[in-house]
Amino acid sequence: MRTFVATDYPEATASQARRFGLFLPARIDPAKPLVVLLHGLDCNIGILQPMGDMLESRGVQVAYFSYPSDQAISADIQLLDQRLGELQQTYPGIHINLVGHSMGGLIARGYVEGNTYRNEVDHLIMVGTPNNGSAWARYHLLLKAQKEFYVSRSDPDWRWTWMITDGLGEGAGICRRTRNFSSSSTLGPPPGSGVHRDCRFPQRTGNV
């Protein structure tokens, strides 16, 4: 269904796609670390704006990663990988700190655990991330309805098709059974991956 709708309504799909990706500050100092904020399930970057504003007021470079939060997490990890790769090509050697809220933490974690990780992340911070799954994911339809309601009120380009092309609950399914997404407590990137090799994550059940 998702592919059919995306194909049948190409303009709406393209408009939605422009809202996904890595959104960088107007000016970047490659000598300074870049903090990338990732939102959670059935949210968008607007929910992280207060945190971003606070960091920017303290002289921190802030970027936002937005993604179709109801699709498979593996696809979101791939998108993050692509965008960070493009960033590295433009600013070779720039240091990155990932801050993921809820499911955004799973995506960030999935990237640094993956085989394509480029060792450019200095710190991975997960806020309210359900590393051991979350019962909240059972209510993702309510979360999705709430998100689409607010987006429809605030974005003049919103179309009903966005509810489908954003995903059909695959991300929520992973949040319910995070044990199947990765090992339950220890990161396992390749040797030489710095601090990430020794990270430990709490067995938390919480937000999504």
Side-chain angles (χ1 to χ4, degrees):
M1 178 186 292
R2 186 182 180 197
T3 302
F4 172 79
V5 171
T7 303
D8 242 32
Y9 297 88
E11 292 184 4
T13 303
S15 178
Q16 183 184 35
R18 287 192 291 271
R19 287 151 175 80
F20 301 139
L22 186 62
F23 295 88
L24 302 171
R27 299 181 63 181
I28 292 182
D29 181 354
K32 295 174 59 178
L34 178 69
V35 173
V36 179
L37 305 180
L38 298 87
H39 62 78
L41 176 68
D42 289 318
C43 296
N44 56 36
I45 58 179
I47 198 170
L48 297 173
Q49 196 71 50
M51 180 189 294
D53 291 345
M54 179 193 70
L55 291 172
E56 288 178 344
S57 71
R58 288 161 171 77
V60 178
Q61 293 187 128
V62 177
Y64 298 86
F65 178 70
S66 182
Y67 56 91
S69 61
D70 222 19
Q71 70 174 3
I73 286 181
S74 59
D76 297 325
I77 294 171
Q78 183 178 20
L79 179 61
L80 178 62
D81 177 21
Q82 293 172 350
R83 295 298 181 261
L84 291 182
E86 293 167 359
L87 178 67
Q88 285 289 314
Q89 290 180 356
T90 305
Y91 302 100
I94 190 170
H95 292 271
I96 298 170
N97 297 320
L98 297 178
V99 180
H101 171 245
S102 196
M103 195 176 86
L106 296 179
I107 294 168
R109 175 183 172 186
Y111 168 64
V112 301
E113 287 184 317
N115 294 328
T116 59
Y117 176 54
R118 289 172 291 271
N119 201 32
E120 75 274 41
V121 176
D122 284 349
H123 300 92
L124 167 60
I125 301 172
M126 299 188 294
V127 182
T129 294
N131 287 295
N132 200 35
S134 173
W136 275 102
R138 299 172 185 170
Y139 309 107
H140 82 276
L141 289 177
L142 294 176
L143 298 173
K144 187 180 184 74
Q146 175 182 261
K147 170 195 172 183
E148 297 299 340
F149 172 76
Y150 285 114
V151 172
S152 68
R153 298 287 297 271
S154 61
D155 192 331
D157 293 331
W158 182 88
R159 297 293 182 270
W160 67 267
T161 59
W162 291 14
M163 294 185 291
I164 298 173
T165 51
D166 186 59
L168 297 174
E170 300 92 336
I174 288 292
C175 285
R176 284 197 297 269
R177 57 182 191 279
T178 311
R179 287 173 191 255
N180 295 334
F181 170 63
S182 183
S183 59
S184 60
S185 63
T186 307
L187 281 176
S193 298
V195 298
H196 307 292
R197 181 178 54 200
D198 302 317
C199 286
R200 296 291 187 273
F201 296 97
Q203 297 303 291
R204 175 190 176 91
T205 299
N207 301 332
V208 294

